[in-house]
Amino acid sequence: MKRLVWPAGVLLLLLALNVVFTPSFLSIQVRDGHLYGSLIDILRFGAPLILVAIGMTLVIATGGIDLSVGSVVAIAGALACLQISLDAGLITAIALALGLCLLLGAWNGLLVAAVGIQPIIATLILMVAGRGLAQLITGGQIITVNDPAYKMIGGGYWLTVPSGIVIVAVVLVVTAFLTRRLALGMLIESVGGNAEASRLAGIRSRGILVMVYAFAALCAGVAGLMISSNVSSADGNNAGLWIELDAILAVVIGGTSLAGGRFSLAGTVLGALIIQTLTTTIYSIGVPPETTLLFKALVVTAVCLVQSRSFREKVFGGRKRAAAPAVPAATDRTERETAGLPGPQDGVRP
Amino acid sequence: MLKRISAAVLAGLTAMAVTACGSGGGGASGGSSGADVITMGFSQVGAESGWRTANTKSVQDAAKEAGITLKFSDAQQKQENQIKAIRSYIQQRVDVIAFSPVVESGWDTVLKEAKDANIPVILTDRAVDSPDKSLYKTFLGSDFVEEGKKAGTWLVEEYKDSTDPVNIVELQGTTGSAPANDRRDGFQEVIKADPKFKVIASQTGDFTRAKGKEVMEAFLKANPDIDVLYAHNDDMGLGAIEAIEGAGKVPGQDIKIITVDAVKDGMQALADGKISFIVECSPLLGPQLMDLAKKVVAGEQVPDRVVTEETTFTQEQAKEVLSTRQY
């Protein structure tokens, strides 16, 4: 838990910055029968990113990476909207879209697990081809649909709460249960730690790998439905553009090591919220469009630096050093992996 | 066993890739060998909005009608893709290259290559900021500064009897693109004469609905008193309408909305009273482009700036013309 302190601190700092510029930033009202406020906006527009990042967390926990999620987002939205515009039923449209996403994810998993292609290359194939596939589905056009039921997924409200937030909460709880209450999480971490050793120990590494890639694609598919439903249209070109990079960033900010073997779902959610809060902050405090990217880069750099143990030790001196032995061993190791450093504490631990 | 299968799959993929390249190359050389038929390489920005897809369709249809072989490529909003496409057109020795630049700057090198290869270039819809005007034959497209001015003029007229300050928020197009820069500047030029007009927030919405909605949500929370929204295209305006409705306000009444483009969904919203005023930016420049291409290839002189014919729409006008809109 302790390693979540830094990302949480950054999130609070960003929120505080917003309050300085917009005093009413934290207020949440009920307007037109639904919750209304900047915090709700952050959760609502952040929902797709959180979903994609949850899937990405498990992939990264196996030591892999999935670059194709952005394209899968576009494909899911495109196929669902196309089906709806062809008067297929809503359930059929959603089932087809998510089914295709599962297939694409399994394809990624097979390339990685069975063929043995490096994850970054295997998923790069679908990242490039998938965007083309999405455009093929939409015929290069923006498909506008007018279906109130479809609109519910990403733009509607469920008991005053935006439905996107509800969906994310459900996925998060289910994922946390499966990985933390059942052995699945441990199996994933063990595959990430050493796939061959896990296999020799009797874990079906390949099955696990295919499963996590399929799960990541499914999460991306649901996110794609949300994004397209929010504006009642499918945009093969721009939907989910660069979301894979934001998702990877969210996972890393949340303290999950890219080397695999360990993951933190709570950290990922925090990371995604930081990114979305940053985006909202840029709009609210009026950063000029020309400097938006620079502003983002500076904040992200600061977040990464402040999370690095070695950076903190260099800047803040020996105080952290003295406090460190109290940290539980597991946390300690993960944090060191994140920073990519050998631990200075070995041997002095009580 | 698995290794063998994976090797076979890989071999298959490689073979497919090789054949694909081969056939692509063959088609290209075949296209340029026909001496009488003009071959045009066209690099489109992308398919970011209904406007753009109408523009694409107009170019494709007009090419078919004019008997011009069109090689079309979609740059997906990336300059490097466009540069790649133009280079490949040069290699394929097309007769004329036309393209809508994603951004204004950075084109000198590749345009020089086209010039050295003696392939004339026509810019459509968006300009480049290169000081060397000899790099392209002509620029066919809308006058974005004029569009911004039209938007500003309507606003000044609308509020001419009021002395209260008018708070304006602006949804800009893709940062650095010509329409975003010019529509902003033209609008500013007209409204700055009267200090009661104040742009209180301005942010890019990347010309997309999703971004338009997201940015407008944030604007609404940070600025309680918004009188006017000026969106650089219809799609961002349409996204913003959803945000305004979500905030319990009535678009078109509580917040007046001015957009540019006049695509079908936008005109529908205008007729429904949700948008207040639309400045047209016609995408149907295909026929004009094909005429210019023929003249340029024949070596005739063409004016270095051709403006597409455009108008503006109020809510009443939108109701009249809605059924006859092609895009």
Side-chain angles (χ1 to χ4, degrees):
Chain A
M1 271 302 124
K2 189 151 185 195
R3 66 201 146 106
L4 294 183
V5 167
W6 289 103
V10 171
L11 185 58
L12 288 178
L13 208 68
L14 273 175
L15 291 175
L17 180 69
N18 271 296
V19 173
V20 172
F21 279 87
T22 323
S24 64
F25 191 80
L26 297 179
S27 85
I28 296 177
Q29 326 158 350
V30 176
R31 200 178 280 193
D32 276 1
H34 60 80
L35 294 175
Y36 180 85
S38 296
L39 292 180
I40 300 295
D41 271 5
I42 292 175
L43 287 173
R44 187 151 67 100
F45 288 110
L49 178 61
I50 298 176
L51 261 185
V52 174
I54 289 174
M56 185 71 80
T57 307
L58 298 191
V59 171
I60 287 179
T62 66
I65 203 154
D66 190 345
L67 297 181
S68 70
V69 284
S71 296
V72 175
V73 163
I75 291 172
L79 188 58
C81 285
L82 179 76
Q83 291 298 326
I84 290 172
S85 70
L86 293 177
D87 281 331
L90 181 69
I91 304 293
T92 322
I94 293 175
L96 273 176
L98 294 184
L100 179 60
C101 292
L102 271 176
L103 267 180
L104 292 171
W107 162 258
N108 274 338
L110 282 175
L111 284 185
V112 173
V115 187
I117 301 178
Q118 291 203 349
I120 197 167
I121 301 301
T123 56
L124 186 70
I125 297 172
L126 187 58
M127 174 189 173
V128 178
R131 186 95 14 222
L133 183 58
Q135 282 168 340
L136 201 66
I137 294 172
T138 60
Q141 313 274 324
I142 294 178
I143 302 179
T144 306
V145 295
N146 196 0
D147 184 333
Y150 185 63
K151 178 95 192 163
M152 270 297 296
I153 300 173
Y157 298 87
W158 193 73
L159 294 179
T160 76
V161 182
S163 37
I165 301 179
V166 178
I167 295 175
V168 164
V170 170
V171 172
L172 186 62
V173 168
V174 170
T175 313
F177 175 78
L178 287 178
T179 55
R180 289 311 186 205
R181 287 285 170 262
L182 304 184
L184 191 58
M186 215 167 64
L187 298 184
I188 291 173
E189 287 181 338
S190 112
V191 171
N194 188 331
E196 186 58 18
S198 314
R199 195 184 65 79
L200 292 174
I203 297 171
R204 295 174 180 234
S205 306
R206 286 193 182 129
I208 298 264
L209 279 175
V210 173
M211 195 200 66
V212 295
Y213 281 94
F215 177 71
L218 182 66
C219 285
V222 177
L225 295 182
M226 266 187 211
I227 290 174
S228 81
S229 140
N230 190 23
V231 285
S232 295
S233 62
D235 184 345
N237 239 321
N238 293 300
L241 197 60
W242 308 131
I243 202 172
E244 60 276 357
L245 299 185
D246 274 350
I248 294 169
L249 187 62
V251 174
V252 171
I253 288 178
T256 298
S257 161
L258 281 180
R262 242 165 246 290
F263 68 92
S264 160
L265 286 174
T268 296
V269 174
L270 267 181
L273 286 177
I274 288 177
I275 294 173
Q276 190 58 39
T277 309
L278 187 55
T279 310
T280 306
T281 307
I282 285 169
Y283 300 149
S284 320
I285 70 176
V287 178
E290 293 81 6
T291 51
T292 301
L293 292 176
L294 183 66
F295 180 79
K296 259 190 167 171
L298 288 176
V299 175
V300 169
T301 311
V303 174
C304 291
L305 283 180
V306 82
Q307 267 191 302
S308 148
R309 167 184 288 267
S310 65
F311 176 81
R312 288 205 306 269
E313 276 172 358
K314 279 196 183 102
V315 173
F316 303 118
R319 272 176 301 141
K320 293 275 183 286
R321 206 173 257 272
V327 177
T331 312
D332 205 359
R333 202 183 314 145
T334 314
E335 199 164 77
R336 231 181 291 138
E337 276 166 11
T338 314
L341 285 170
Q345 263 75 44
D346 288 3
V348 291
R349 185 169 291 116
Chain B
M1 184 60 202
L2 259 173
K3 260 189 192 160
R4 224 176 300 155
I5 292 176
S6 52
V9 169
L10 272 181
L13 282 176
T14 323
M16 267 159 63
V18 169
T19 9
C21 290
S23 65
S29 57
S32 57
S33 60
D36 295 313
V37 181
I38 296 176
T39 307
M40 172 190 277
F42 186 81
S43 168
Q44 181 61 284
V45 175
E48 77 277 12
S49 61
W51 191 96
R52 187 63 62 190
T53 45
N55 177 242
T56 300
K57 196 162 179 310
S58 167
V59 169
Q60 286 169 338
D61 290 351
K64 210 175 280 171
E65 215 160 274
I68 290 177
T69 311
L70 184 71
K71 291 182 181 298
F72 182 87
S73 82
D74 183 326
Q76 301 189 8
Q77 316 289 330
K78 290 198 207 82
Q79 183 173 31
E80 63 262 33
N81 287 353
Q82 279 200 308
I83 292 178
K84 256 185 263 169
I86 294 169
R87 290 223 165 100
S88 94
Y89 292 145
I90 296 172
Q91 275 168 11
Q92 296 173 35
R93 312 264 341 137
V94 297
D95 299 307
V96 54
I97 293 173
F99 77 111
S100 304
V102 176
V103 292
E104 285 186 302
S105 48
W107 300 102
D108 293 28
T109 315
V110 71
L111 289 183
K112 185 93 185 1
E113 287 167 26
K115 191 183 175 188
D116 291 344
N118 274 324
I119 300 176
V121 173
I122 301 175
L123 305 179
T124 66
D125 163 48
R126 295 181 180 185
V128 300
D129 65 359
S130 167
D132 184 359
K133 300 285 178 214
S134 73
L135 290 178
Y136 53 89
K137 290 287 177 207
T138 179
F139 166 38
L140 164 68
S142 316
D143 187 338
F144 301 129
V145 178
E146 192 55 38
E147 288 169 3
K149 282 184 189 166
K150 285 178 188 167
T153 311
W154 179 85
L155 185 67
V156 170
E157 187 64 21
E158 181 78 5
Y159 283 93
K160 66 172 184 236
D161 300 328
S162 150
T163 49
D164 300 338
V166 179
N167 290 330
I168 304 162
V169 294
E170 184 183 31
L171 285 172
Q172 294 191 22
T174 310
T175 308
S177 68
N181 291 345
D182 292 354
R183 284 174 191 166
R184 179 193 60 205
D185 295 346
F187 186 72
Q188 273 297 338
E189 209 180 308
V190 175
I191 62 163
K192 76 173 175 210
D194 191 337
K196 79 181 173 200
F197 293 111
K198 261 214 317 259
V199 177
I200 52 173
S202 180
Q203 190 57 249
T204 176
D206 282 335
F207 284 130
T208 65
R209 262 182 229 192
K211 273 283 172 201
K213 181 170 182 181
E214 189 177 341
V215 176
M216 192 65 197
E217 294 268 12
F219 279 175
L220 284 163
K221 268 114 206 167
N223 313 285
D225 301 314
I226 299 173
D227 300 310
V228 175
L229 162 70
Y230 171 44
H232 287 185
N233 78 343
D234 289 344
D235 280 298
M236 288 191 293
L238 291 168
I241 286 175
E242 296 199 15
I244 294 169
E245 285 172 341
K249 296 190 175 181
V250 183
Q253 287 177 27
D254 297 337
I255 297 178
K256 292 202 170 19
I257 303 175
I258 310 170
T259 65
V260 185
D261 273 1
V263 298
K264 196 147 207 167
D265 288 350
M267 290 296 277
Q268 183 65 53
L270 181 63
D272 294 346
K274 291 180 176 174
I275 295 180
S276 316
F277 186 70
I278 295 186
V279 179
E280 188 191 35
C281 177
S282 174
L284 306 179
L285 43 74
Q288 272 174 298
L289 173 63
M290 298 309 149
D291 282 351
L292 282 172
K294 282 181 181 164
K295 282 183 187 159
V296 165
V297 172
E300 290 174 35
Q301 276 298 316
V302 290
D304 54 6
R305 179 76 174 90
V306 183
V307 180
T308 36
E309 266 182 40
E310 290 163 344
T311 174
T312 59
F313 295 102
T314 61
Q315 292 176 346
E316 290 71 33
Q317 287 166 332
K319 281 175 200 151
E320 284 167 27
V321 300
L322 191 60
S323 55
T324 60
R325 296 295 283 177
Q326 292 181 42
Y327 58 93

